[in-house]
Amino acid sequence: MLMYTYTILRQFSISGRLLGNSSHHAVPKHKVTPFNRFILRLTRTVEPIPNEVSFEMMDKANSRFRIGLTTVVMIICALGSVYSIRQGKEAAEAHRDSLYDKNRERYETQSGNENK
């Protein structure tokens, strides 16, 4: 019952009846900022870009932008991981010494200095 009441109230407020507008079919508009203009142009949601768009259209453009941006970030992270793995393998091949050998060498040089 509560969800049904919420749905009805939401429909009334969107159509403008509770907001005091005389038009029953008024769709709320979102004023386009320069950044929103950039997003609309980038996602090619609407051509030409007006000064006001519907909230649904702006939400759709924002969702497309967010999905595209996260996809680009994931690709960059994957490429960075592959690059760092290759760099690590090349460094391991260049320095074939194990940690045991390095510590043994260091111990021998330190104990040699103490005996003198």
Side-chain angles (χ1 to χ4, degrees):
M1 179 66 180
L2 188 61
M3 188 61 157
Y4 179 73
T5 307
Y6 172 75
T7 306
I8 290 176
L9 286 175
R10 185 164 182 240
Q11 288 174 353
F12 278 131
S13 64
I14 288 176
S15 66
R17 293 181 190 153
L18 292 179
L19 297 176
N21 294 342
S22 60
S23 173
H24 294 290
H25 300 289
V27 177
K29 297 287 184 172
H30 177 78
K31 187 169 179 158
V32 179
T33 63
F35 184 68
N36 292 339
R37 214 173 271 283
F38 169 74
I39 290 175
L40 287 168
R41 189 174 296 123
L42 189 68
T43 59
R44 297 183 186 114
T45 306
V46 63
E47 297 286 335
I49 300 170
N51 290 334
E52 292 182 344
V53 294
S54 66
F55 283 110
E56 290 84 15
M57 187 177 295
M58 198 66 230
D59 189 39
K60 182 179 178 181
N62 283 334
S63 294
R64 283 183 179 179
F65 180 71
R66 186 173 39 251
I67 290 168
L69 186 64
T70 54
T71 303
V72 168
V73 169
M74 285 189 290
I75 290 171
I76 289 172
C77 286
L79 292 175
S81 299
V82 169
Y83 176 74
S84 63
I85 289 170
R86 285 191 177 176
Q87 291 295 319
K89 284 184 178 181
E90 288 175 8
E93 288 176 6
H95 306 292
R96 277 293 189 189
D97 299 336
S98 66
L99 186 60
Y100 173 76
D101 292 336
K102 288 180 182 179
N103 285 337
R104 187 176 45 123
E105 244 179 69
R106 185 174 49 102
Y107 178 74
E108 286 173 356
T109 56
Q110 284 178 355
S111 63
N113 290 338
E114 290 175 1
N115 290 338
K116 291 182 180 181

